[in-house]
Structure formats: structure tokens, C-alpha cells
């Protein structure tokens, strides 16, 4: 889930970047100057999205750690667990 959100943020930033560059080119800027101008405007967005990603990933990391700890306490984790591979139960 977090990977999907991260990819969505990256794609969204890329779209905004391309829109900025296209707008500046249509206003008469040269492509390289438009790219630098568009990149300078998206800096705050990248910082805010990075903070949002951290806010999304921390609970997921804590959830994975707590479920791992719970399975160790219950004794669910170990080499003697029943594993199912391809529909055939192995011990």
C-alpha cells in the first residue's frame, strides 16, 4: 500500500513538473530555461510530499513490527510451522 502511495506521489510530481515546463515554453521561454524555472517551483511540493510519505510509512512499519512481535509471543513464528506450498502441506 505504501509503495502504491509513493508511486502515486512521484507520478503526480512528474505531471506538475511537465505542466510547469509546458506553460513556460508556451509563454516563450527556451526549453532549458523553462525546465530550470519549473524545477525551482516544485521544490516545496517535493519536501511536503516527502514528509507525507514518512507520515504514511511510519505507522505501517510499526504495524509490521508489532505483528511480528505478537507472532513471536504466541509461538507462531519458527521453523516448525506448517507451510503450504502449491496447495500441498509440508512440515
Amino acid at each position: 500500500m505504501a509503495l502504491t502511495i509513493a508511486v502515486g506521489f512521484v507520478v503526480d510530481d512528474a505531471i506538475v513538473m511537465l505542466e510547469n515546463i509546458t506553460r513556460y515554453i508556451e509563454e516563450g521561454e527556451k526549453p532549458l530555461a523553462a525546465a530550470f524555472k519549473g524545477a525551482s517551483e516544485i521544490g516545496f511540493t517535493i519536501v511536503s510530499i516527502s514528509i507525507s510519505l514518512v507520515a504514511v510509512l511510519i505507522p505501517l512499519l510499526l504495524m509490521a513490527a508489532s505483528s511480528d512481535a505478537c507472532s513471536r509471543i504466541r509461538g507462531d513464528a519458527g521453523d516448525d510451522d506448517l507451510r503450504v506450498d502449491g496447495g500441498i502441506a509440508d512440515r
Side-chain angles (χ1 to χ4, degrees):
M1 183 172 137
L3 183 61
T4 304
I5 292 170
V7 169
F9 282 154
V10 169
V11 170
D12 183 50
D13 282 345
I15 291 170
V16 171
M17 180 80 171
L18 287 174
E19 287 175 349
N20 283 343
I21 293 171
T22 305
R23 179 172 47 101
Y24 284 124
I25 290 174
E26 288 174 353
E27 290 176 358
E29 297 269 346
K30 292 186 178 181
L32 185 61
F36 283 128
K37 218 176 206 184
S40 68
E41 289 182 356
I42 201 168
F44 176 73
T45 305
I46 291 173
V47 170
S48 65
I49 286 181
S50 298
I51 292 170
S52 299
L53 277 175
V54 169
V56 167
L57 291 175
I58 286 176
L60 291 175
L61 291 173
L62 293 175
M63 188 177 358
S66 67
S67 66
D68 186 39
C70 288
S71 66
R72 286 185 186 157
I73 291 171
R74 287 194 320 247
D76 293 343
D79 292 331
D80 59 342
D81 286 342
L82 182 66
R83 292 184 1 203
V84 177
D85 296 326
I88 301 171
D90 295 327
R91 266 238 179 232

